[in-house]
Amino acid sequence: MDDAEIWTHIDAQRADLADFLDTLTPEQWATPSLCPDWSVRDVAVHLTQSTTAWPRMVLEAVRSGFRFNTMVSRVAREDPRGPDEIIAALRGMAGVRRRPPGTAVADPLTDVLVHGQDIAIPLGVDREMPPAPAVVAARRLWTMGFPFHARRRFTGVQLEATDADFSVGQGRLVSAPIRDIVLALSGRNSPVLPRV
């Protein structure tokens, strides 16, 4: 899939997630997400901040002692916007092609797909993950190191999607829907790699 197609999927997934967020109650916005210590609101805010200008990102990194996770968490929690503003910001990202320095075009797609699940699963919502963009996300997660180190975590395992053209790794075969593979590669609890 080329960059233009990936951006089309990013725009579609952001719009779809905004529509989903627009249905949530205040209690659901406050629900803990799959991201440790983050509510549904915090995850949604984080997604809107992926197009933050480079100078602002540098400033926030300095303020956080160049600790990436600390910066991301702090900036999301300090954001004062309410649900309507967050939804409008997510919708307003359609057509925006800015991404954090050092990231691949597949990264914002991976973010919106995975974080959409981080929001939906704790709410008991079965949120679809379209196979074609999910394969792009899974390939990106497999090849990147920090912060997921998927190849190292899945040493000796071959992951094969049952509903998409995706297979990586070598060893014991584990077959699963591509959504479950994406969640596992991104470090989430998944039938592919359940936490015990």
Side-chain angles (χ1 to χ4, degrees), residues 146-183:
F146 175 82
F148 303 116
H149 304 285
R151 279 185 288 197
R152 184 173 63 205
R153 288 187 300 112
F154 285 96
T155 298
V157 175
Q158 178 183 350
L159 297 172
E160 184 175 89
T162 57
D163 55 352
D165 183 16
F166 179 80
S167 181
V168 293
Q170 294 181 344
R172 178 177 58 89
L173 178 63
V174 176
S175 298
I178 190 67
R179 176 175 60 178
D180 292 342
I181 291 173
V182 168
L183 288 172

Side-chain angles (χ1 to χ4, degrees), residues 19 37 40 59 68 71 82 91 127 153 155 166 190:
D19 290 345
D37 302 320
V40 163
L59 174 65
F68 176 77
M71 177 191 76
R91 286 195 174 116
R127 184 168 167 73
R153 288 187 300 112
T155 298
F166 179 80
S190 161

Side-chain angles (χ1 to χ4, degrees), residues 105-171:
V105 174
D107 290 349
L109 178 61
T110 303
D111 263 3
V112 72
L113 290 174
V114 172
H115 286 316
Q117 300 298 316
D118 290 335
I119 290 169
I121 291 171
L123 297 176
V125 174
D126 183 17
R127 184 168 167 73
E128 180 187 357
M129 188 181 289
V135 167
V136 172
R139 291 195 191 290
R140 175 62 181 149
L141 288 163
W142 181 254
T143 59
M144 69 191 303
F146 175 82
F148 303 116
H149 304 285
R151 279 185 288 197
R152 184 173 63 205
R153 288 187 300 112
F154 285 96
T155 298
V157 175
Q158 178 183 350
L159 297 172
E160 184 175 89
T162 57
D163 55 352
D165 183 16
F166 179 80
S167 181
V168 293
Q170 294 181 344

Side-chain angles (χ1 to χ4, degrees), residues 71-92:
M71 177 191 76
V72 169
S73 183
R74 181 184 55 76
V75 170
R77 286 198 178 119
E78 290 178 356
D79 192 302
R81 292 176 293 174
D84 289 344
E85 295 168 294
I86 296 166
I87 292 166
L90 197 55
R91 286 195 174 116

